[in-house]
């Protein structure tokens, strides 16, 4: 509740209170493990090809669950993640000979192997920073500003995105009030991670 109020309404919840709520929401232990696995299975349902093998599916869920539970994403781990995502999205039996690239959803924001990997990497880096106690008030405020701006753009385009999304159209339906509360933390985690990746790229550049 404090997180949702802070995201959308100024002057009611101080950022220092949100910092504590944020760490509690991310959490550790059995609840976070279950949430990580649910997220991995949900992502698989969205992007998995019907001809992806059970072995590829199990590997995908394992890797995404581990990252969603706080495992650091190394260079080697990112390569393994890329392979795992490609195996479920573009199984060799379908895509190896053709060389085609699979893209799901609307043309403006296609969900490809690379975009899924970027999304998971962003969530992983934001989760790791939080668990290490390195998400301060300035980072949260910056993520809030980006979240508000991106949500305003998204809401203005949601109808068009849903019309072009095909099998993923359900992702763009209007959420219930309960879903808005449930999704707030995950949305902020993704925005925070994308922001951190952007700043890391700028630093390396």
């Amino acid at each position: 509740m404090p997180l949702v109020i802070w995201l959308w309404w100024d002057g009611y919840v101080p950022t220092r209170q949100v910092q504590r709520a944020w760490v509690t929401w991310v959490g550790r232990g059995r609840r976070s493990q279950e949430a990580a696995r649910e997220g991995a299975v949900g992502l698989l349902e969205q992007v998995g090809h019907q001809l992806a093998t059970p072995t590829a599916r199990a590997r995908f869920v394992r890797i995404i669950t581990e990252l969603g539970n706080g495992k650091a994403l190394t260079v080697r781990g990112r390569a393994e993640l890329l392979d795992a995502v490609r195996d479920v999205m573009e199984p060799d039996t379908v895509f190896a000979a053709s060389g085609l690239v699979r893209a799901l959803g609307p043309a403006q924001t296609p969900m490809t192997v690379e975009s899924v990997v970027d999304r998971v990497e962003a969530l992983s880096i934001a989760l790791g920073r939080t668990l290490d106690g390195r998400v301060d008030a300035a980072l949260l405020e910056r993520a809030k500003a980006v979240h508000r701006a991106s949500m305003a753009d998204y809401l203005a385009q949601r109808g068009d995105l849903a019309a072009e999304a095909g099998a993923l159209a359900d992702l763009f339906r209007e959420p219930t009030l309960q879903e808005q509360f449930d999704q707030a933390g995950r949305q902020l985690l993704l925005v925070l991670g994308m922001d951190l990746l952007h700043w890391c790229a700028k630093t390396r550049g």
Side-chain angles (χ1 to χ4, degrees):
M1 181 70 75
L3 179 61
V4 175
I5 295 173
W6 173 81
L7 268 177
W8 291 111
W9 294 280
D10 294 325
Y12 293 96
V13 179
T15 304
R16 65 179 180 277
Q17 181 180 346
V18 171
Q19 282 183 269
R20 296 192 295 269
W22 178 246
V23 173
T24 300
W25 179 82
V26 169
R28 279 193 184 274
R30 183 174 178 179
R31 185 199 62 79
S32 61
Q33 291 174 4
E34 292 173 350
R37 180 173 174 78
E38 288 174 4
V41 172
L43 183 59
L44 176 61
E45 291 174 351
Q46 291 174 17
V47 305
H49 192 279
Q50 60 183 355
L51 295 181
T53 66
T55 299
R57 292 172 179 274
R59 180 190 183 206
F60 177 93
V61 170
R62 174 182 60 79
I63 291 173
I64 303 295
T65 300
E66 289 174 350
L67 293 171
N69 197 41
K71 181 179 179 180
L73 185 63
T74 62
V75 173
R76 181 176 179 180
R78 193 182 192 281
E80 185 181 14
L81 170 64
L82 180 61
D83 285 342
V85 174
R86 180 167 285 116
D87 282 348
V88 297
M89 285 191 70
E90 300 176 353
D92 285 344
T93 54
V94 181
F95 291 87
S98 68
L100 294 174
V101 174
R102 188 172 180 223
L104 303 171
Q108 303 98 305
T109 56
M111 192 174 288
T112 63
V113 170
E114 286 74 18
S115 69
V116 171
V117 171
D118 287 345
R119 176 189 178 95
V120 174
E121 184 175 12
L123 291 170
S124 176
I125 192 173
L127 181 62
R129 282 286 191 103
T130 301
L131 294 175
D132 290 344
R134 294 187 295 138
V135 174
D136 58 16
L139 274 177
L140 284 175
E141 287 287 350
R142 195 167 74 207
K144 179 173 73 170
V146 174
H147 178 269
R148 286 183 175 181
S150 62
M151 282 300 294
D153 290 341
Y154 165 72
L155 290 174
Q157 302 176 49
R158 185 171 61 190
D160 293 336
L161 293 172
E164 298 178 13
L168 297 182
D170 191 56
L171 294 179
F172 300 96
R173 65 175 173 79
E174 184 173 357
T176 65
L177 183 60
Q178 184 61 54
E179 287 172 335
Q180 291 181 51
F181 275 85
D182 294 342
Q183 293 169 6
R186 291 191 293 271
Q187 290 170 349
L188 186 62
L189 191 68
L190 179 60
V191 169
L192 177 61
M194 287 295 189
D195 186 55
L196 289 168
L197 283 177
H198 173 72
W199 280 98
C200 287
K202 285 185 64 175
T203 301
R204 288 195 297 267

